[in-house]
Amino acid sequence: QKEVEQDPGPLSVPEGAIVSLNCTYSNSAFQYFMWYRQYSRKGPELLMYTYSSGNKEDGRFTAQVDKSSKYISLFIRDSQPSDSATYLCAMSDAGGTSYGKLTFGQGTILTVHP
Amino acid sequence: SAVISQKPSRDICQRGTSLTIQCQVDSQVTMMFWYRQQPGQSLTLIATANQGSEATYESGFVIDKFPISRPNLTFSTLTVSNLSPEDSSIYLCSVDRTNEKLFFGSGTQLSVL
């Protein structure tokens, strides 16, 4: 079993839809949770960063962390064609972040069509 | 965020040769990290490069295959040696500038024939 499980998709939605992306994990020591967006032929770009449980909102993006269920989500409201990318969840424990060691999900390929 | 320049952006190499990837950061950082992204797979940390000391490798990665240099606080290289088709991946340099937040370069797409 992988430490972090993420449905690779692909996921295709119409413009304006609400997108829900999810990851589950098995390591209860994870405390830092991130979502990265990766466009084709580009490096991952940090989108959302959350410490411990709770919600965080930034514009059209909302990140949720439920540590009791070991489950994190990213919601994209009013999705746009420019949101088409691969979305990667990543997480680490307190020590891991100090050494750049993130555990990534496989990534979900999202396409938003006009 | 950090500005991270990686070269080359892509290369096609023959089996048995080596490829050296360069990573330049716009300001000084203590640690630089090298990741591998295999097709359809998660990003995996290869090693951590500290200036003035040997790199620290993760399980499954060895110095003979992935030698790393870190001559100063803004630059690092990763060499992938004795290439085989299984080494075909994207290799990414990353830095931590704001505590717990990793920033990545654009990556190097390596194809081995």
Side-chain angles (χ1 to χ4, degrees):
Chain A
Q1 181 189 7
K2 295 180 182 178
E3 267 194 299
V4 178
E5 297 277 358
Q6 183 178 5
D7 186 344
L11 184 62
S12 180
V13 302
E15 183 174 356
I18 297 174
V19 176
S20 173
L21 304 168
N22 311 294
C23 288
T24 59
Y25 62 94
S26 58
N27 187 347
S28 58
F30 287 149
Q31 297 185 54
Y32 300 89
F33 304 91
M34 286 139 274
W35 286 94
Y36 284 85
R37 177 176 61 194
Q38 186 174 22
Y39 292 114
S40 179
R41 299 183 182 179
K42 297 289 186 182
E45 168 195 13
L46 182 62
L47 200 57
M48 298 288 282
Y49 169 84
T50 309
Y51 170 70
S52 193
S53 286
N55 295 354
K56 184 174 184 178
E57 186 173 324
D58 184 1
R60 296 185 295 110
F61 299 89
T62 299
Q64 290 185 351
V65 175
D66 182 349
K67 290 187 68 179
S68 63
S69 301
K70 297 189 179 68
Y71 187 87
I72 70 170
S73 300
L74 177 70
F75 297 96
I76 307 174
R77 292 184 298 280
D78 187 24
S79 57
Q80 303 295 311
S82 58
D83 295 328
S84 299
T86 297
Y87 290 81
L88 302 149
C89 64
M91 49 199 78
S92 72
D93 59 26
T97 55
S98 299
Y99 300 98
K101 186 172 182 178
L102 301 184
T103 302
F104 282 85
Q106 189 176 352
T108 299
I109 301 170
L110 171 66
T111 301
V112 181
H113 51 85
Chain B
S1 64
V3 175
I4 305 170
S5 301
Q6 226 180 295
K7 294 180 181 179
S9 58
R10 55 177 49 229
D11 207 342
I12 301 172
C13 299
Q14 295 295 321
R15 185 193 300 255
T17 62
S18 298
L19 176 70
T20 295
I21 303 167
Q22 299 179 4
C23 180
Q24 178 76 51
V25 189
D26 64 342
S27 62
Q28 296 182 346
V29 293
T30 303
M31 291 186 286
M32 297 176 73
F33 312 98
W34 288 97
Y35 276 80
R36 181 175 71 182
Q37 187 175 26
Q38 293 180 300
Q41 303 293 320
S42 309
L43 275 79
T44 303
L45 180 64
I46 298 171
T48 301
N50 287 339
Q51 192 266 338
S53 63
E54 274 197 11
T56 302
Y57 289 84
E58 296 299 309
S59 175
F61 298 96
V62 294
I63 187 171
D64 289 346
K65 177 67 175 177
F66 298 99
I68 288 172
S69 77
R70 183 78 199 277
N72 58 53
L73 291 173
T74 63
F75 187 79
S76 178
T77 67
L78 168 74
T79 299
V80 189
S81 304
N82 189 23
L83 291 168
S84 68
E86 292 72 32
D87 295 319
S88 297
S89 291
I90 299 173
Y91 292 86
L92 294 152
C93 168
S94 66
V95 302
D96 178 353
R97 286 279 295 277
T98 55
N99 292 328
E100 299 100 27
K101 298 178 184 178
L102 276 191
F103 296 94
F104 287 85
S106 292
T108 297
Q109 173 78 63
L110 169 61
S111 299
V112 182
L113 303 179

